[in-house]
Amino acid sequence: MSDDQHRFLLLMGKLPARLSSEQVAWVLNCQAHDVPILVMARLLKAVGSPAANSVKYFATADILDLAKDRAWLAKVTNAISHHWKEKNAHKKERGAVSPGGVQARQDRLAG
């Protein structure tokens, strides 16, 4: 968001009707890279039918309503945690099996 937009919104005293992924992350207190995880988990839905490679916007009213729901917040926390747990598990598996894995890198650094 540009400085002009930020000042305008402060003067208006309310949020814009649509939020970008980064802004949604701010509202939900998570990282911007977590928003696509929430979309894949069907916990968030972008406004309209955006193309896969386009900027996604989310309805501010929906996000604010969801942020008040304790059960939904628990699902968000679990979805993000599960995603990163799976991703890190795959990373460990690849590192242990591949010839250029973690152990080989550690050996090179030590020797």
Side-chain angles (χ1 to χ4, degrees), residues 3 10 23 25-26 35-36 40 44 47-48 54 58 60 73 80 92 103:
D3 288 338
L10 284 175
Q23 293 165 331
W26 294 339
V35 173
M40 286 188 299
L44 288 177
V47 174
S54 67
F58 303 85
T60 302
L73 288 171
I80 292 170
K92 284 182 183 177
Q103 188 60 45

Side-chain angles (χ1 to χ4, degrees), residues 10-71:
L10 284 175
L11 290 173
M12 258 179 73
K14 63 180 187 177
L15 293 170
R18 298 181 314 163
L19 297 173
S20 67
S21 292
E22 183 177 28
Q23 293 165 331
V24 168
W26 294 339
V27 171
L28 298 178
N29 193 29
C30 65
Q31 301 297 314
H33 61 257
D34 292 332
V35 173
I37 296 166
L38 301 177
V39 171
M40 286 188 299
R42 299 180 188 255
L43 292 169
L44 288 177
K45 181 162 176 25
V47 174
S49 300
N53 62 346
S54 67
V55 176
K56 311 292 187 284
Y57 290 98
F58 303 85
T60 302
D62 292 346
I63 299 300
L64 293 176
D65 286 344
L66 289 169
K68 294 176 188 175
D69 182 353
R70 189 176 187 91

